[in-house]
Amino acid sequence: MVKRARTFEELCENRINWVSASEDNGFNEGISKLLTELYPDKAHFVYELLQNAEDAKATRVAFSLYQDRLEFVHDGTHLFNLEDIDSITSIANTTKIADNHSIGKFGVGFKAVFSYTKTPRIHSGKFNFEIQNLVVPYSISPLENMDANKTYFIFPFNNPKKTKDFAYMEIENGLCNLKPETLLFLNNIREISYEFNGRCYKVFKVEKEYVVSLYENNEEKPISQYLRFVKNDVDIKTNAGLMKKLSVALAYKLEEDKEQKLKIIPLNKSEHNVCIYFPAEKEDARLRFLINAPFDSEVSRASIRNTEDNCLLIREIVNLQIETMQYLRDNGYLTTEFLGVLPSSKDNLSEMYQIFNDELVNLFKTKNYTPTISGDFCPANLLYKGGAMYKNGPHISEFITNEELKGLLNLEYNQTSLWVKNAQQINSEADNFIQDLQIQSFGTKELIKWMDALDDVCMDRWENFIRNKKISDLTKLYRML
């Protein structure tokens, strides 16, 4: 078992001894290269800083980029203690190492900053220190005019392998790539700002019930909105074999329609759909909505592993989606167009994500969620799918009403609606999902086939049906036949 330092000075001495031993064995250069090159995106440590601030219960964070350094400040209520210093200066031995699913589980993520600096500085609470040789904390003087309730990170661009201009450019690009969606699944941080070269930029979020609105700068209208659902009581085992309650979430992208009413729209193919609090940039689930969980991921967090634990987390997200479908229906979000947001068999989901299609199809087949022409919702297993009676003609439901269809087919359903509401476009995402529901067809072909097989009982029902039709309806029937 590793012996923990009891004082800052003892920790410093332990780290110096480790560095000396590494240098004696020729390990130091290889370890430094390994740790600083783990992340394909060199400015990925920006997310590590956000993660640190989120864990510290920060609500506001700010980046300030200068020609010779980067500064990062947050207002987290958790200030650094000795255990945190041990964690941030260690190698894969953080305070969260027993938890494969923690947002900051690796501890090595912070080491990416050493691509830019040899001496990162941290000022937090009663501690003011500078890290040298990757792991050794040395005490330094406090900042002037330092707010005692904030934590400060300062990264001088003094790595000789990277010029100050190049470091500035890479970090500038990293900051510019911070999208408002970065805030979507964070519980604590509500505002991110950065400034460089005279440019000031801010993103913040406003939450109202399930709707999360994301804003840029001081704009009055949100740049994007999401309908987000969170489940906080998911039990999963940590590496140490302990049970821990984790949270999972999903979010649908929203857009205002012509009546300024919010509706759900699909994500663009270029938009990330899997998050580990922040976007997993190389993970494509082929979903048209966002999912988030503390997935067990590759070190870079760019993709997630196909593991039993991750499959469990995905199943919990599916359960959350099923549990919240009633809210979507009762609040006007569940429309035929919405079905195009759901995955279909034509999306060719991977084995890990196929559960979304399987469970949603079963839900819509057996519960009152499939939209009907009448405006209500019924199980797809009890519905019929029709079409135009003839080219550019009326829908067959205008000729055969729900009650008439019940009579013709001698159905004993209690429901008032029998006709599914078709997608506006054949082979669209919505139509693909409706096809997965395997709804019975009753169009022109089926009606003619039914008429050809009429027996005496069915003939009586047909004659009653015809007797109650207007001349204009019979004209449509004649044209159809």
Side-chain angles (χ1 to χ4, degrees):
M1 175 180 282
V2 177
K3 182 181 178 181
R4 296 291 182 184
R6 289 172 292 182
T7 65
F8 183 90
E9 290 72 23
E10 185 181 348
L11 177 62
C12 178
E13 183 180 354
N14 290 345
R15 293 286 193 264
I16 291 173
N17 291 337
W18 183 89
V19 170
S20 178
S22 296
E23 289 176 345
D24 289 344
N25 288 276
F27 295 158
N28 55 314
E29 194 64 32
I31 292 174
S32 176
K33 184 177 180 180
L34 174 65
L35 292 176
T36 56
E37 294 182 359
L38 276 173
Y39 288 83
D41 173 9
K42 295 300 183 184
H44 198 284
F45 76 91
V46 166
Y47 290 106
E48 299 299 322
L49 295 175
L50 291 174
Q51 164 253 302
N52 178 274
E54 172 72 8
D55 290 345
K57 311 298 182 185
T59 59
R60 288 180 172 83
V61 304
F63 296 89
S64 298
L65 179 61
Y66 303 94
Q67 292 297 328
D68 63 345
R69 69 191 187 280
L70 172 69
E71 295 182 2
F72 176 69
V73 184
H74 69 71
D75 64 355
T77 56
H78 176 84
L79 300 175
F80 266 70
N81 56 33
L82 185 61
E83 188 179 19
D84 295 321
I85 300 174
D86 186 7
S87 172
I88 204 168
T89 59
S90 69
I91 297 177
N93 189 28
T94 77
T95 58
K96 303 162 189 169
I97 194 63
D99 184 0
N100 235 21
H101 303 274
S102 170
I103 184 173
K105 61 177 181 283
F106 291 108
V108 297
F110 183 79
K111 299 299 185 288
V113 304
F114 288 94
S115 296
Y116 301 92
T117 183
K118 301 289 283 186
T119 54
R121 303 167 193 162
I122 301 174
H123 304 267
S124 180
K126 66 179 182 180
F127 292 103
N128 301 276
F129 62 99
E130 175 181 276
I131 305 173
Q132 298 180 19
N133 295 316
L134 291 177
V135 297
V136 185
Y138 290 96
S139 288
I140 58 175
S141 300
L143 291 173
E144 293 185 9
N145 303 317
M146 175 177 164
D147 187 334
N149 296 315
K150 292 184 177 180
T151 294
Y152 298 77
F153 292 80
I154 300 175
F155 307 102
F157 298 150
N158 57 9
N159 187 330
K161 295 182 179 179
K162 188 169 292 189
T163 66
K164 293 180 181 180
D165 288 343
F166 197 72
Y168 182 97
M169 180 192 69
E170 283 195 341
I171 295 176
E172 177 186 17
N173 290 336
L175 293 176
C176 289
N177 287 331
L178 282 179
K179 295 180 171 57
E181 281 71 16
T182 304
L183 290 168
L184 183 58
F185 293 113
L186 297 180
N187 294 320
N188 301 310
I189 299 176
R190 317 196 82 72
E191 179 183 303
I192 302 173
S193 64
Y194 64 76
E195 57 179 325
F196 59 85
N197 198 25
R199 176 184 176 185
C200 297
Y201 179 77
K202 177 176 70 175
V203 294
F204 62 97
K205 67 180 177 182
V206 175
E207 299 179 22
K208 186 176 181 181
E209 197 176 14
Y210 298 113
V211 176
V212 180
S213 301
L214 303 174
Y215 295 82
E216 284 185 324
N217 300 319
N218 295 313
E219 297 292 332
E220 294 184 1
K221 291 194 67 173
I223 188 170
S224 57
Q225 291 180 286
Y226 292 85
L227 192 65
R228 187 194 64 190
F229 299 101
V230 180
K231 187 174 185 179
N232 292 311
D233 55 354
V234 178
D235 290 317
I236 195 165
K237 277 187 178 181
T238 67
N239 287 355
L242 302 174
M243 296 302 295
K244 183 175 181 180
K245 289 191 178 298
L246 303 174
S247 66
V248 298
L250 77 152
Y252 301 104
K253 194 170 185 178
L254 296 174
E255 182 181 76
E256 283 189 354
D257 60 19
K258 295 179 180 178
E259 299 175 353
Q260 295 187 321
K261 181 180 178 183
L262 291 174
K263 66 176 182 179
I264 294 174
I265 61 172
L267 292 175
N268 297 324
K269 290 184 178 180
S270 61
E271 294 178 293
H272 302 299
N273 48 45
V274 179
C275 294
I276 313 171
Y277 299 97
F278 306 116
E281 296 173 353
K282 292 186 178 180
E283 185 72 21
D284 184 9
R286 299 182 183 175
L287 300 174
R288 287 178 285 277
F289 51 87
L290 283 156
I291 63 173
N292 176 71
F295 293 115
D296 182 12
S297 69
E298 303 297 334
V299 176
S300 67
R301 294 190 196 159
S303 60
I304 72 174
R305 299 184 176 99
N306 188 350
T307 65
E308 183 179 346
D309 283 350
N310 281 345
C311 289
L312 175 62
L313 289 171
I314 289 172
R315 172 169 284 280
E316 291 296 339
I317 296 174
V318 172
N319 291 341
L320 174 62
Q321 190 169 36
I322 290 172
E323 292 163 9
T324 53
M325 199 61 66
Q326 181 176 341
Y327 177 89
L328 300 185
R329 182 193 65 192
D330 296 348
N331 287 274
Y333 292 108
L334 207 172
T335 63
T336 302
E337 290 71 26
F338 165 75
L339 301 185
V341 177
L342 306 180
S344 73
S345 57
K346 292 187 178 180
D347 289 317
N348 296 317
L349 302 183
S350 68
E351 180 183 2
M352 189 161 58
Y353 298 107
Q354 180 58 37
I355 186 174
F356 280 99
N357 178 245
D358 294 342
E359 295 298 322
L360 287 169
V361 165
N362 181 65
L363 177 71
F364 278 76
K365 278 185 173 184
T366 58
K367 303 297 181 182
N368 292 328
Y369 290 120
T370 307
T372 72
I373 286 178
S374 304
D376 56 1
F377 303 86
C378 294
N381 283 345
L382 302 181
L383 292 176
Y384 288 83
K385 183 179 180 182
M389 295 178 67
Y390 44 83
K391 187 175 181 180
N392 299 324
H395 192 276
I396 194 170
S397 65
E398 297 181 27
F399 178 67
I400 304 176
T401 66
N402 290 303
E403 287 301 316
E404 289 170 337
L405 186 60
K406 279 186 186 180
L408 287 175
L409 301 182
N410 197 28
L411 302 176
E412 297 181 354
Y413 298 167
N414 292 323
Q415 66 194 57
T416 57
S417 301
L418 291 173
W419 294 110
V420 67
K421 187 174 182 181
N422 292 334
Q424 292 184 353
Q425 186 176 347
I426 295 176
N427 295 325
S428 63
E429 281 85 2
D431 186 56
N432 291 340
F433 185 80
I434 291 174
Q435 289 183 41
D436 283 354
L437 300 180
Q438 298 177 319
I439 297 172
Q440 303 173 77
S441 292
F442 195 83
T444 303
K445 292 180 180 179
E446 288 77 17
L447 177 59
I448 293 174
K449 185 177 180 180
W450 181 84
M451 291 170 61
D452 287 342
L454 287 178
D455 56 21
D456 291 341
V457 175
C458 291
M459 182 60 74
D460 289 339
R461 294 203 298 266
W462 175 249
E463 289 176 352
N464 289 331
F465 169 74
I466 292 296
R467 192 176 298 115
N468 293 319
K469 285 297 176 184
K470 299 177 182 177
I471 296 298
S472 58
D473 292 328
L474 296 177
T475 302
K476 296 174 186 176
L477 176 61
Y478 178 79
R479 185 172 179 180
M480 179 188 74
L481 298 175

